[in-house]
């Protein structure tokens, strides 16, 4: 379906005397027989000309000449042929010169398998032997690999992403260049690195990709995630959320969250909560107090990691059943409030908080029912001076 709709876009462009091709990941995936929903199209029409032909299109990256057409739930990115020059900081293209040439556009792409174009008649334009590399299951940089990774070090992680997605091998010269260029990853913003790492972790062949990353020296740049990566590559093939992944990494590396990863306050809180859960649960077993303190989501994340770390000790399901059996899941579930206590136990708010925590403990350890009178009586009897 998305392909048929995409063809109508190509048709409109060519009928108006523009060149237009499917390009990039879509062509790669189509030749491999995979379905892709995001379709990239390249053309010699300028963004203004694209806008005239597709009035509903939106400039989603006009600086780079990209217009996006939305049809049904699909998005089609139409980009004017371009060649990027003057790389300055290993990441951002300097001048972007519109080129009326498909070859220039394809040549600036990262890997041969990502640099094929396909026209309306399904003819494949393959200037860099991408089809052969698809057949041989190789990820090969276009041109001088070291130069290409120096231009844009993020391509290093993109190479691992395609290993994780396709189960391909790194071509020898590309692999050597990655090893040499790896330190340049240190200059790429960590937010971008996080996005790539997240994608890598979601693909089926993530263990293979992670192992390669570690072997080729990612630890020289990000030593704090290596114990976590090692664990995921060799011990447990877990599918983790971002917070779970970084909690695992920083817990195993026994380090605070390094500032350079630029987590938001909410993210930091989540990561630290999971780490705290791991530390508490490792000291004893998982009991209701840990689950009550950390609540369900954090406890489930912590349990998932513990089951991976120590499968003989921890089993999945305990957190869920403890949580379900808790009569009090938060203080406000108590049949007793701070005001009820103030009457009998005068004191400051901190003291009241402690009485309430005690009441939670009494009910959750099932010694007392969650009823106001019963709780007050018990507290008066046992604790009033
Ligand atoms: P997937 O759909 O599996 O994520 P993709 O190949 O579509 O793969 P995108 O990140 O959407 O990945 O990139 C689209 C295309 O743009 C790539 O196929 C490649 O041709 C080109 N490209 C993307 N990023 C770069 C880059 N950093 N350097 C060179 N070319 C790139």
């Amino acid at each position: 379906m998305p392909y048929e709709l995409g063809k109508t876009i190509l048709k409109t462009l060519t009928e108006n005397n523009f060149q237009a091709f499917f390009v990039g990941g879509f062509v790669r995936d189509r030749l491999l027989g995979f379905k892709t929903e995001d379709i990239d199209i390249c053309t010699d029409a300028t963004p203004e000309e694209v806008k005239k032909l597709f009035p509903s299109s939106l400039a989603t990256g006009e600086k780079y000449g990209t217009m996006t057409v939305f049809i049904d739930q699909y998005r089609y990115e139409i980009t004017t042929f371009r060649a990027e020059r003057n790389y300055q900081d290993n990441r951002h293209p300097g001048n972007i010169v519109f080129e009326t040439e498909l070859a220039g556009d394809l040549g600036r792409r990262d890997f041969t398998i990502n640099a094929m174009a396909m026209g309306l008649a399904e003819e494949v334009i393959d200037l860099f032997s991408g089809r052969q590399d698809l057949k041989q299951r190789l990820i090969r940089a276009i041109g001088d690999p070291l130069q290409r990774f120096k231009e844009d070090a993020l391509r290093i992680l993109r190479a691992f992403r395609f290993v994780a997605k396709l189960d391909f091998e790194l071509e020898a010269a590309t692999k050597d260049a990655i090893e040499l260029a790896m330190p340049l990853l240190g200059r790429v913003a960590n937010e971008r690195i996080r996005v790539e790492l997240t994608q890598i972790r979601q693909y089926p062949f993530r263990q293979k990709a992670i192992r390669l990353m570690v072997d080729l020296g990612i630890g020289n740049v990000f030593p704090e995630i290596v114990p976590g990566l090692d664990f995921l590559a060799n011990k447990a093939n877990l599918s983790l959320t971002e917070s779970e992944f970084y909690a695992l990494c920083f817990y195993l590396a026994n380090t605070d969250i390094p500032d350079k990863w630029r987590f938001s306050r909410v993210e930091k809180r989540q990561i630290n909560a999971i780490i705290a859960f791991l530390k508490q649960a490792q000291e004893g077993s998982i009991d209701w107090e840990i689950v009550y303190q950390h609540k369900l989501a954090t406890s489930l994340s912590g349990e998932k990691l513990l089951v991976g770390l120590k499968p003989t000790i921890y089993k999945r399901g305990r957190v869920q059943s403890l949580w379900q059996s808790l009569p009090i899941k938060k203080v406000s579930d108590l049949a007793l409030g701070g005001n009820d206590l103030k009457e009998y136990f005068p004191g400051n708010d901190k003291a009241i908080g402690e009485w309430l925590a005690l009441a939670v403990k009494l009910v959750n350890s099932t010694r007392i029912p969650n009823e106001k009178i019963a709780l007050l009586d018990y507290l008066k009897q046992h604790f009033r001076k």
Side-chain angles (χ1 to χ4, degrees):
M1 263 304 272
Y3 173 57
E4 299 307 323
L5 290 171
K7 272 185 153 177
T8 65
I9 297 181
L10 246 56
K11 214 157 163 225
T12 304
L13 284 160
T14 50
E15 281 172 0
N16 284 276
N17 296 322
F18 295 113
Q19 295 184 54
F21 303 90
F22 295 115
V23 74
F26 170 73
V27 179
R28 178 199 68 219
D29 287 352
R30 186 166 172 82
L31 292 174
L32 287 170
F34 294 168
K35 287 210 176 98
T36 326
E37 305 226 322
D38 286 342
I39 296 190
D40 289 332
I41 291 169
C42 63
T43 178
D44 61 350
T46 63
E48 296 74 30
E49 288 165 333
V50 172
K51 180 80 185 168
K52 269 194 203 134
L53 292 175
F54 305 97
S56 69
S57 63
L58 294 176
T60 42
E62 195 147 32
K63 199 162 48 145
Y64 304 114
T66 299
M67 301 293 290
T68 301
V69 178
F70 298 88
I71 309 179
D72 297 344
Q73 75 268 42
Y74 310 114
R75 47 185 293 150
Y76 299 87
E77 296 206 337
I78 308 178
T79 305
T80 306
F81 293 145
R82 63 200 188 186
E84 295 172 4
R85 309 228 171 89
N86 298 350
Y87 284 87
Q88 282 147 352
D89 59 355
N90 303 105
R91 177 64 211 149
H92 291 288
N95 298 333
I96 294 196
V97 185
F98 288 128
E99 276 205 352
T100 45
E101 264 201 75
L102 176 62
D105 182 289
L106 296 179
R108 101 195 137 72
R109 290 170 187 269
D110 46 7
F111 305 111
T112 59
I113 56 169
N114 288 344
M116 291 178 279
M118 194 171 87
L120 250 187
E122 305 215 4
E123 75 281 17
V124 177
I125 295 117
D126 178 13
L127 307 179
F128 305 99
S129 305
R131 264 179 304 194
Q132 196 180 328
D133 285 336
L134 273 188
K135 233 182 246 147
Q136 298 187 343
R137 307 173 66 79
L138 286 178
I139 293 158
R140 181 197 308 268
I142 294 175
D144 173 0
L146 187 56
Q147 184 53 34
R148 303 307 308 283
F149 293 124
K150 281 185 182 165
E151 280 170 11
D152 179 358
L154 199 68
R155 289 177 185 148
I156 294 172
L157 291 185
R158 290 178 54 83
F160 295 122
R161 154 143 63 108
F162 296 114
V163 169
K165 175 172 173 164
L166 304 171
D167 191 21
F168 278 24
E169 307 299 322
L170 297 176
E171 175 274 331
T174 302
K175 188 172 176 179
D176 291 347
I178 286 180
E179 195 163 13
L180 282 173
M182 192 70 91
L184 298 177
L185 266 187
R187 297 194 211 159
V188 177
N190 283 48
E191 290 95 327
R192 291 183 168 278
I193 296 202
R194 278 169 52 191
V195 171
E196 285 297 329
L197 288 179
T198 300
Q199 295 211 48
I200 290 170
R201 290 199 322 273
Q202 283 163 356
Y203 283 120
F205 304 100
R206 57 184 167 228
Q207 285 193 299
K208 172 173 175 170
I210 293 174
R211 217 169 285 139
L212 261 176
M213 262 159 56
V214 174
D215 289 349
L216 294 180
I218 201 167
N220 298 326
V221 197
F222 305 115
E224 66 276 15
I225 61 169
V226 169
L229 291 177
D230 259 333
F231 176 77
L232 291 178
N234 300 312
K235 301 252 169 58
N237 189 9
L238 299 176
S239 165
L240 302 177
T241 65
E242 271 228 286
S243 316
E244 290 164 358
F245 171 68
Y246 289 101
L248 173 74
C249 287
F250 303 144
Y251 169 76
L252 289 177
N254 198 14
T255 175
D256 290 338
I257 300 177
D259 286 341
K260 68 177 175 191
W261 287 92
R262 317 267 305 236
F263 291 106
S264 68
R265 273 173 45 208
V266 174
E267 289 166 331
K268 275 188 195 159
R269 208 180 308 133
Q270 283 171 341
I271 295 170
N272 280 328
I274 298 173
I275 293 176
F277 180 96
L278 290 176
K279 288 184 175 164
Q280 277 170 266
Q282 288 260 297
E283 280 161 17
S285 66
I286 301 176
D287 59 26
W288 75 261
E289 284 188 282
I290 300 179
V291 176
Y292 173 79
Q293 182 192 332
H294 291 285
K295 306 299 177 229
L296 186 61
T298 299
S299 302
L300 285 173
S301 292
E303 181 183 59
K304 191 203 278 187
L305 293 175
L306 283 174
V307 172
L309 287 162
K310 300 201 169 165
T312 50
I313 300 180
Y314 298 93
K315 298 278 176 259
R316 246 177 153 143
R318 180 160 173 81
V319 162
Q320 190 72 49
S321 68
L322 278 170
W323 179 255
Q324 266 160 8
S325 66
L326 280 187
I328 306 295
K329 295 182 167 58
K330 50 187 187 312
V331 178
S332 57
D333 291 344
L334 271 178
L336 185 80
N339 286 337
D340 302 314
L341 284 170
K342 271 183 193 154
E343 260 183 54
Y344 301 96
F345 304 97
N348 58 25
D349 286 349
K350 184 166 171 270
I352 295 291
E354 281 165 13
W355 286 115
L356 286 174
L358 181 60
V360 169
K361 203 168 184 164
L362 289 171
V363 178
N364 276 348
S365 58
T366 65
R367 302 227 296 272
I368 304 287
N370 186 23
E371 288 160 14
K372 195 193 278 192
I373 305 291
L375 276 166
L376 273 176
D377 281 350
Y378 187 95
L379 289 172
K380 278 191 277 187
Q381 239 174 28
H382 289 79
F383 300 105
R384 199 150 65 152
K385 284 177 201 134

